[in-house]
Amino acid sequence: MARGCGVVRGAGGAVGARREGAALGGRRAFCGARGRVRGCARVAPPRASGGDGARVIATLPGDGIGPEIMNVAVKVLETVAEGEGVSLRFEEHAIGGDAIDKTGKPLPEETLEACKASDQVLLAAIGGYKWDNLSSKDRPEGGLLQLRAGLDCFANLRPATLQDELLEGSPLKPEVIKGVDIMIVRELVGGIYFGEPRGFKDADGDRAGYNTMVYKKSEVERIARVAFEIAKARKGNLVSVDKANVLEVSQLWRQTVADAFEADGCEADGLSLSNMYVDNCAMQLCTNPSQFDVILTGNIFGDILSDQASVITGSLGMLPSASVSSPGKPGIYEPVHGSAPDIAGQDKANPLGMVLSAAMMCRYGLNEPEMADIIEDAVKSVLAKGYRTGDLMGASPAGAELTQVSCSQMGELLLETIAEEEIMVSFMPK
Ligand code: NAD
């Protein structure tokens, strides 16, 4: 199933003129949501896999609330792409329980091949009670792991960005977390979760379980280079997190990151690099999280730190993520939460984590930072006006005037906000 949208870039004079205005930073002057216009990260340079010059987005709605939140994200992307003169085509495929029902497999061959051939993959959520009795390899979750492996997504990007309007939703004090905007870059396919040997054995009449934490230089270099590109698109402050005071694997990690930083001339690009032990980082995330910009770390440390950092920002329904591969290959952009079967089909889901994942796709996958800025600003603006899905009602200051909205209403509000801003920008001096 394919949905076309947008105007091919440069095709219309009006579209071209508006893009120029946005690139000059005028848009930010109007909405004032960000201090600076962020640059492009070359994590995945744009391809155009559609024969007509359109970039193809493989959409995988999956299960539970997946189709509801995907619907909102696609409408937002269509609207912003059209306004910015970017040509996108959406092609929907089955994954998870939906795919099991249709084909017997959580990741049909056809879906994997379509994702490989696409420019980027947008995934909502998979799983549900209906498939809970299947063996672990046949369950919907298996489809997600197979997709990540099939696309060789070795880097996981998890932002923890606090929306000021949701300050009260955090378990930390408002004065500690104000302004938190962290990106955690986690190595996803190596380290202790995959290292060999692993298993159980008898040890001197006792029983032992063991795993191996191992990283090759080449694995560290490729994830470090993703972090460098991300840092270039942000404030430029990179902290590499390890346990080099105890672990040899961390000593290799630290040296390799430093060597790659120097070899790539990152300092001349305005980046700074420092190192932090993982235990200290866990503490600093609670006591002074706003010191961080980009955190680069391995698989197990990233797993723990990214969950810790995400809690700072309050609500599960707000959190986007990306799993990316080598430049030029498609990445997977998806909210952190699951398929929320308890509220599926009731139009109650919060679509903002999904919408912010679409913004990440624009920034890091499609190299369209203006589109990402517009989407992120629209989310901020709708929250600032007091609109909340049910899950966010408790995360707001006592006495604040709030309006509870459904998933689809939140989508409509985003579209209205984007349209209002387009009108303001069109009045800007060219
Ligand atoms: P969940 O994230 O689906 O839900 C946890 C709680 O948060 C629920 O109360 C749910 O209603 C709420 N919630 C989650 N997202 C929400 C949103 N966008 N708006 C409003 N409320 C939201 O986690 P779970 O209940 O542990 O798992 C449910 C299913 O999702 C399981 O089958 C699990 O395997 C699967 N899962 C999938 C993914 C994924 O697709 N990446 C991730 C986690 C869990």
Side-chain angles (χ1 to χ4, degrees), residues 65 69 123-129 132 139 141 144 148 316-318 334-343 348-351 389 391:
I65 59 171
I69 57 175
L123 170 78
I126 47 93
Y129 312 130
D132 275 355
R139 283 170 62 128
E141 292 77 359
L144 188 50
R148 285 178 186 153
L316 187 61
M318 294 294 301
E334 53 177 320
V336 167
H337 61 74
S339 60
D342 51 333
I343 54 167
K348 284 184 180 168
N350 179 354
T389 43
D391 58 312

Side-chain angles (χ1 to χ4, degrees), residues 72-297:
V72 172
V74 169
K75 280 186 187 155
V76 166
L77 281 168
E78 283 176 340
T79 304
V80 177
E82 185 160 5
E84 291 294 294
V86 174
S87 183
L88 300 180
R89 192 166 68 238
F90 298 91
E91 295 182 356
E92 189 178 302
H93 302 280
I95 192 169
D98 172 44
I100 293 173
D101 288 351
K102 287 175 179 156
T103 69
K105 292 181 184 167
L107 182 69
E109 279 290 306
E110 183 214 70
T111 297
L112 179 58
E113 290 312 313
C115 290
K116 281 184 181 169
S118 72
D119 288 85
Q120 301 299 333
V121 178
L122 200 55
L123 170 78
I126 47 93
Y129 312 130
K130 183 176 171 189
W131 306 281
D132 275 355
N133 298 329
L134 298 174
S135 71
S136 56
K137 76 174 176 34
D138 297 325
R139 283 170 62 128
E141 292 77 359
L144 188 50
L145 299 180
Q146 289 164 31
L147 182 67
R148 285 178 186 153
L151 296 182
D152 191 25
C153 288
F154 65 87
N156 186 234
L157 316 181
R158 284 264 298 261
T161 308
L162 185 79
Q163 309 282 344
D164 283 348
E165 295 73 21
L166 304 178
L167 207 59
E168 307 291 322
S170 172
L172 299 186
K173 290 180 190 149
E175 62 269 27
V176 174
I177 54 164
K178 198 159 180 20
V180 164
D181 182 6
I182 307 170
M183 176 69 81
I184 297 189
V185 180
R186 166 192 169 194
E187 201 288 328
L188 200 58
V189 295
I192 196 164
Y193 292 165
F194 295 91
E196 297 285 350
R198 61 191 294 161
F200 300 94
K201 64 180 178 185
D202 289 326
D204 302 326
D206 203 350
R207 185 92 176 124
Y210 59 97
N211 293 86
T212 304
M213 187 156 169
V214 58
Y215 270 116
K216 288 191 246 164
K217 251 180 95 173
S218 54
E219 291 174 305
V220 181
E221 281 166 355
R222 70 174 183 170
I223 187 74
R225 292 202 157 104
V226 170
F228 299 161
E229 293 306 323
I230 300 285
K232 283 179 201 166
R234 295 172 52 94
K235 292 183 205 132
N237 304 327
L238 185 63
V239 178
S240 175
V241 173
D242 59 42
K243 191 68 181 163
N245 50 342
V246 179
L247 303 173
E248 284 78 3
V249 59
S250 282
Q251 288 159 17
L252 181 113
W253 176 283
R254 188 175 280 214
Q255 189 60 51
T256 305
V257 173
D259 290 347
F261 189 84
E262 199 183 330
D264 289 10
C266 291
E267 210 170 306
D269 283 335
L271 302 192
S272 70
L273 171 67
S274 57
N275 299 290
M276 194 177 273
Y277 297 135
V278 62
D279 40 351
N280 185 25
C281 183
M283 193 175 70
Q284 297 288 331
L285 275 172
C286 291
T287 52
N288 184 14
S290 49
Q291 72 183 283
F292 294 108
D293 177 25
V294 179
I295 293 176
L296 160 67
T297 192

